[in-house]
Amino acid sequence: MARTALITGITGQDGSYLAEHLLAQGYEVWGLVRGQNNPRAATVQRLIPDLRLIEGDLHDQSSLIAALEAARPDEVYNLGAISFVALSFKQAINTGEITGLGVTRVLDAIRVVNPRIRFYQASSSEMFGKVRETPQNELTPFHPRSPYGAAKAYGHHITVNYRESYGMHAVSGILFNHESPRRGMEFVTRKITHTAARIKLGLERELRLGNLDARRDWGYAGDYVRAMHLMLQQSEPDDYVIASGESHSVREFLAAAFGHLGLRWEDHVVVDERFLRPAEVDVLVGDAGKARRVLGWQPGVGFADLVVMMVESDLRELTASGAASASASASAP
Ligand code: NAP
Ligand code: GDD
């Protein structure tokens, strides 16, 4: 019989890739959408027609219980969150409510409705924050540097706690940064590739950024959702780091993206202190050795190919939308 999965955060980057992956494995897939008329619901439904959408909000316990009762999933993937670190400094309490307490709401709904449902929590390398060792693995202590990181650390611990207290098959995937053409424009990689493409097409002249020295372990979202699924197929629930094992600076990302377009990033980038954070995570790099050994997981797309994939996709989208020719005719004499 086909297995059923429910994904929170279906309208986000990972939600769509995970839904596609699970549908390809023969799953029936449900996605939780919030709001009374969420425009992103229509977008994801167009992209993935076989997906079944259901209303619910990580703020609202009874909506989560109702979603579990309607979808009757074998597996729940909790990807919903306020996921933008910069926003979490401005909305610290809301971030605690959704990114942190939201995890307990889902876990407790599962405990009440059907504790045999397997649960995946989208944990984050942001929990390592001011890192205690390099590279970071499943045993590295946490030192979050943002309300987001702190909320994710709570989400991680409560997942482990429900596993140990109630015997639930609950796992925490500690994922390092992963990107794609579907990445939100607020994140630095997509901000860079989209603006670089606009500059190439003559639609923009400058790109304003914050800390160019930050280093991240960037992988491809399509590879990382495979790991989420693998974690829930193990006989014993456990926690896994998912990472590429390579660290690159924002500066290096800029050089790769602008370089691919034959541009010099130094001619366009302006450092703007509005994009600096009250506390920064300077460098992240993960050790996914356990995932490789136990899950047989490995990434397929490396850093250079990821940057090219994102730049090319933004160029294609902008060209197809007619933005470039509209700008040319607007500036014609
Ligand atoms: P994303 O694109 O920002 O998507 C976040 C999702 O959460 C959206 O679908 C959003 O729905 C939903 N959401 C927000 N508030 C909600 C609420 N109150 N109730 C229900 N859903 C709500 O994030 P992503 O990059 O796909 O990441 C997926 C998960 O992995 C997140 O939990 C993120 O923190 C975590 N993570 C991501 C990375 C990464 O590098 N991408 C790394 C480690 C961990 P709306 O459309 O309604 O806003
Ligand atoms: N967003 C953004 N915008 N970041 C900038 C900018 C800018 O203009 N300029 C420099 N940066 C730096 C940030 O200060 C940070 O050090 C780095 O670029 C990456 O920022 P983001 O792309 O916003 O991602 P993040 O690393 O803070 O968080 C992402 O990865 C986490 C996993 O480590 C998010 O996807 C989180 O949800 C995820 O958990």
Side-chain angles (χ1 to χ4, degrees), residues 20-307:
E20 286 170 341
H21 181 63
L22 295 177
L23 285 164
Q25 309 283 314
Y27 279 70
E28 177 178 317
V29 182
W30 294 67
L32 191 85
V33 289
R34 66 174 171 147
Q36 58 188 44
N37 186 16
N38 186 334
R40 298 176 82 196
T43 307
V44 73
Q45 187 74 82
R46 257 196 313 277
L47 182 69
I48 313 173
D50 290 339
L51 180 64
R52 304 184 67 169
L53 296 180
I54 186 161
E55 288 165 12
D57 195 307
L58 289 168
H59 259 305
D60 189 289
Q61 183 72 5
S62 63
S63 72
L64 298 173
I65 291 174
L68 290 176
E69 285 173 341
R72 301 170 63 84
D74 303 290
E75 299 171 8
V76 169
Y77 295 84
N78 184 39
L79 311 186
I82 287 184
S83 75
F84 187 33
V85 171
L87 179 66
S88 80
F89 285 103
K90 295 176 182 154
Q91 296 188 15
I93 292 167
N94 209 20
T95 302
E97 273 291 347
I98 298 169
T99 306
L101 263 185
V103 186
T104 313
R105 291 195 188 96
V106 180
L107 281 165
D108 216 56
I110 290 174
R111 185 180 67 81
V112 169
V113 173
N114 175 8
R116 288 185 306 283
I117 294 171
R118 295 187 170 200
F119 174 81
Y120 172 87
Q121 167 56 15
S123 292
S124 165
S125 50
E126 273 289 306
M127 301 186 302
F128 298 124
K130 191 171 180 184
V131 299
R132 307 277 182 87
E133 62 179 347
T134 296
Q136 296 85 52
N137 62 36
E138 293 79 5
L139 301 176
T140 303
F142 299 155
H143 186 146
R145 294 274 281 171
S146 63
Y148 169 82
K152 282 289 181 188
Y154 169 80
H156 168 86
H157 287 304
I158 200 72
T159 299
V160 174
N161 181 256
Y162 268 60
R163 175 166 83 215
E164 294 175 353
S165 304
Y166 306 114
M168 287 168 54
H169 194 113
V171 311
S172 169
I174 306 174
L175 271 52
F176 283 63
N177 298 49
H178 45 279
E179 319 293 314
S180 74
R182 298 182 194 167
R183 187 59 146 150
M185 299 280 184
E186 65 272 38
F187 300 99
V188 77
T189 54
R190 185 77 195 287
K191 186 174 171 183
I192 292 172
T193 60
H194 189 252
T195 312
R198 285 178 62 81
I199 290 171
K200 179 70 181 175
L201 295 172
L203 297 165
E204 200 91 64
R205 293 174 68 139
E206 71 175 25
L207 167 59
R208 303 185 84 83
L209 293 173
N211 177 12
L212 307 186
D213 295 321
R215 300 184 70 87
R216 290 291 182 276
D217 179 329
W218 279 298
Y220 170 51
D223 288 336
Y224 286 39
V225 299
R226 284 192 284 109
M228 299 176 186
H229 175 244
L230 284 169
M231 283 180 220
L232 286 196
Q233 310 317 305
Q234 307 308 304
S235 50
E236 291 302 319
D238 205 348
D239 309 320
Y240 297 89
V241 159
I242 300 297
S244 78
E246 274 182 33
S247 187
H248 295 274
S249 65
V250 172
R251 223 178 277 279
E252 287 165 29
F253 197 102
L254 280 167
F258 279 76
H260 180 68
L261 295 169
L263 300 169
R264 273 169 43 85
W265 68 267
E266 295 90 338
D267 295 338
H268 303 280
V269 170
V270 176
V271 172
D272 183 335
E273 63 180 29
R274 282 181 305 146
F275 297 109
L276 298 175
R277 294 173 181 178
E280 177 63 291
V281 172
D282 297 324
V283 54
L284 289 174
V285 58
D287 170 4
K290 179 176 168 185
R292 274 199 305 276
R293 281 192 308 280
V294 181
L295 305 178
W297 177 83
Q298 55 183 20
V301 178
F303 176 76
D305 289 340
L306 173 65
V307 178

